[in-house]
Amino acid sequence: MFKRKRVRFSILFVLHICVTLAALTAQADWQEVGLRMGIQAGPKREYFHQYEAFAVYGLPWSWRLPSGWGLEPQLNTAVGTLVGGNETGFIGSVGTGLSFNKPGNGIALEAGVNLNLLDRRQFGQQDFGSILLWGAYVGFSYRLTGGLGVSYRIQHVSNNRILYTSCTPNPGVDMHMIGFSWNF
């Protein structure tokens, strides 16, 4: 059972590193920077909220229809604080995402996966089981004229028990995140 989890973790980790390295070596450009804040989306042992600064690096590949709508891959990064159980800790993330959008102003649908790092695994009574966590999100953003943007996403962060035994806690946390950004 543990070998299967190790193989699953290895495959996901290698894919994550390959996509990230491909993103760093490709010619692309920064698309967006901003701030996000969020509140917990369900009951847990502790109440959580999060604040972060983020940046989105657009990759050079895209798949577009003649109408202009299409998929655009991105590299996402964020650093911030996670607050819960009367404790405040660091949370950082890097990952890849896809945006279904049309260039210029308007709405975009987004989804992605992240690798997250915490400075502690326990916040009050809530034990995440590890400081290295996986995350996933879905959401949407709206780009206004002049570069400003607003966004909403629901995100999940947990250790997914990929590298850990079934005895390791895996509570995770779901967050409603609202963002304000500047688009380039």
Side-chain angles (χ1 to χ4, degrees):
M1 181 69 140
F2 187 68
K3 282 187 176 185
R4 192 176 329 171
K5 288 184 180 186
R6 186 179 286 179
V7 168
R8 191 172 12 156
F9 170 78
S10 298
I11 290 169
L12 286 173
F13 186 74
V14 167
L15 284 173
H16 194 81
I17 295 299
C18 288
V19 171
T20 302
L21 288 176
L24 294 175
T25 59
Q27 289 188 358
D29 204 1
W30 290 103
Q31 288 183 334
E32 178 181 16
V33 294
L35 300 172
R36 268 193 292 261
M37 58 196 116
I39 57 172
Q40 184 171 306
K44 292 289 176 189
R45 289 184 178 174
E46 300 290 351
Y47 173 77
F48 287 92
H49 52 282
Q50 181 175 336
Y51 307 95
E52 66 184 20
F54 69 93
V56 177
Y57 193 73
L59 301 178
W61 316 288
S62 68
W63 304 274
R64 301 231 170 252
L65 297 171
S67 65
W69 287 96
L71 288 175
E72 190 172 68
Q74 304 169 328
L75 179 66
N76 302 297
T77 61
V79 293
T81 60
L82 182 64
V83 181
N86 293 323
E87 296 185 40
T88 301
F90 170 83
I91 183 168
S93 68
V94 63
T96 56
L98 281 175
S99 177
F100 180 71
N101 63 27
K102 189 174 183 179
N105 301 330
I107 195 163
L109 304 175
E110 303 168 339
V113 294
N114 294 323
L115 188 59
N116 297 272
L117 181 67
L118 301 174
D119 69 340
R120 68 186 75 211
R121 69 179 251 179
Q122 188 152 349
F123 289 78
Q125 299 295 313
Q126 187 75 40
D127 185 357
F128 286 103
S130 171
I131 62 168
L132 185 61
L133 305 173
W134 296 93
Y137 67 90
V138 293
F140 64 90
S141 63
Y142 191 84
R143 295 178 306 263
L144 304 164
T145 337
L148 293 176
V150 294
S151 63
Y152 166 81
R153 68 168 52 177
I154 182 133
Q155 67 183 27
H156 172 76
V157 176
S158 73
N159 69 34
N160 294 323
R161 287 204 182 115
I162 292 174
L163 189 59
Y164 310 98
T165 67
S166 60
C167 299
T168 304
N170 183 26
V173 66
D174 299 321
M175 304 286 283
H176 293 288
M177 303 289 288
I178 301 291
F180 300 95
S181 63
W182 180 260
N183 296 278
F184 302 105

